[in-house]
């Protein structure tokens, strides 16, 4: 079983579809009016901004100084973790609070409701994605690229480290992000991500 699993991870490629290129996501994020009602597409884009699991987007909260996050999935026993994103931090914070309020008020579908899972898949499929997890992977890639704005800094190890921060992996489990090195094959040309 381990051999089959390792063979599958070698051949699996993850190409970011054009609808989710960084410039397109950023344009949609910049166009969001937080005074209005959130849409499901807004939820997807905010999940990318935060490289968030469905649980994270509902329960994650910031420390008083807005430097670290807590209340995210798999955070039991951990201190608050640093976070990175590919957009302005103040905007990211405002979007997180706005989308969380929309979920609480029933204005947007709850990503934790199992009845919505199939609906989300149907909405993502036309854009080349399979599930909500793909949004998280895209966000981690964009955040790592933005944090390492100089392409000379983008070594495999440094990209892996920045993705781990974006994904909020436990410090002792940072090696788990090597899985993403295998599948994230961004189709975004270098000039488009800057």
């Amino acid at each position: 079983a381990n051999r089959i699993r390792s063979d599958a991870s070698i051949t699996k490629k993850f190409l970011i579809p054009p609808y989710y290129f960084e410039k397109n996501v950023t344009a949609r994020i910049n166009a969001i009016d937080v005074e209005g009602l959130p849409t499901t597409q807004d939820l997807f884009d905010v999940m990318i901004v935060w490289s968030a699991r469905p649980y994270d987007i509902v329960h994650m909260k910031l420390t008083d100084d807005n430097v670290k996050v807590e209340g995210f999935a798999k955070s039991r026993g951990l201190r608050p973790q640093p976070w990175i994103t590919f957009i302005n931090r103040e905007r990211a914070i405002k979007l997180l609070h706005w989308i969380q309020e929309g979920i609480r008020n029933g204005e947007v579908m709850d990503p934790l409701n199992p009845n919505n899972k199939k609906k989300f898949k149907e909405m993502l499929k036309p854009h080349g994605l399979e599930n909500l997890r793909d949004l998280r992977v895209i966000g981690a890639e964009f955040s790592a690229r933005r944090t390492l704005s100089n392409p000379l800094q983008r070594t495999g190890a440094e990209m892996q480290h920045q993705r781990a921060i974006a994904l909020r992996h436990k410090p002792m489990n940072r090696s788990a992000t090597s899985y993403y090195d295998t599948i994230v094959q961004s189709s975004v040309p270098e000039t488009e991500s800057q």
Side-chain angles (χ1 to χ4, degrees):
N2 288 339
R3 184 174 176 207
I4 292 169
R5 197 174 300 126
S6 71
D7 290 346
S9 67
I10 290 169
T11 59
K12 184 174 182 182
K13 300 286 186 226
F14 183 90
L15 297 177
I16 298 173
Y19 188 75
Y20 286 101
F21 280 2
E22 183 179 350
K23 70 176 187 172
N24 297 332
V25 173
T26 303
R28 287 194 303 271
I29 286 292
N30 290 337
I32 289 176
D33 175 12
V34 294
E35 299 301 320
L37 297 177
T39 65
T40 304
Q41 186 58 57
D42 295 336
L43 170 67
F44 293 165
D45 290 336
V46 173
M47 289 178 78
I48 291 172
V49 166
W50 283 91
S51 307
R53 295 176 177 92
Y55 182 92
D56 298 346
I57 210 69
V58 174
H59 296 287
M60 192 165 49
K61 48 189 178 210
L62 293 146
T63 54
D64 291 336
D65 57 5
N66 290 335
V67 175
K68 297 185 177 184
V69 292
E70 56 190 359
F72 53 93
K74 302 184 181 183
S75 65
R76 188 173 302 144
L78 287 181
R79 293 184 178 139
Q81 297 290 302
W83 61 282
I84 60 174
T85 185
F86 61 98
I87 69 167
N88 173 283
R89 288 175 73 92
E90 289 79 24
R91 178 80 170 150
I93 292 166
K94 190 178 286 191
L95 289 168
L96 176 66
H97 293 152
W98 174 71
I99 209 75
Q100 286 178 332
E101 185 178 326
I103 292 167
R104 275 192 304 275
N105 295 337
E107 298 164 348
V108 68
M109 288 193 294
D110 185 344
L112 294 180
N113 183 333
N115 297 328
N116 293 335
K117 191 174 184 178
K118 186 175 179 181
K119 294 174 193 169
F120 287 138
K121 282 187 173 193
E122 289 170 358
M123 295 176 80
L124 291 168
K125 192 172 185 174
H127 301 295
L129 299 179
E130 294 179 18
N131 55 51
L132 294 177
R133 179 183 171 271
D134 294 342
L135 300 172
R136 186 167 186 254
V137 173
I138 291 170
E141 180 68 10
F142 292 166
S143 295
R145 284 172 170 263
R146 186 56 55 102
T147 302
L148 302 172
S149 56
N150 179 350
L152 297 176
Q153 293 176 306
R154 295 182 187 164
T155 64
E158 193 53 39
M159 284 292 287
Q160 180 178 340
H161 175 72
Q162 293 303 320
R163 284 187 204 113
I165 293 171
L167 295 167
R168 291 168 297 283
H169 281 180
K170 294 179 183 178
M172 63 277 205
N173 195 26
R174 298 285 164 136
S175 63
T177 58
S178 62
Y179 177 70
Y180 296 107
D181 287 335
T182 304
I183 67 167
V184 176
Q185 299 287 324
S186 178
S187 60
V188 180
E190 196 67 33
T191 56
E192 283 192 30
S193 67
Q194 296 177 356

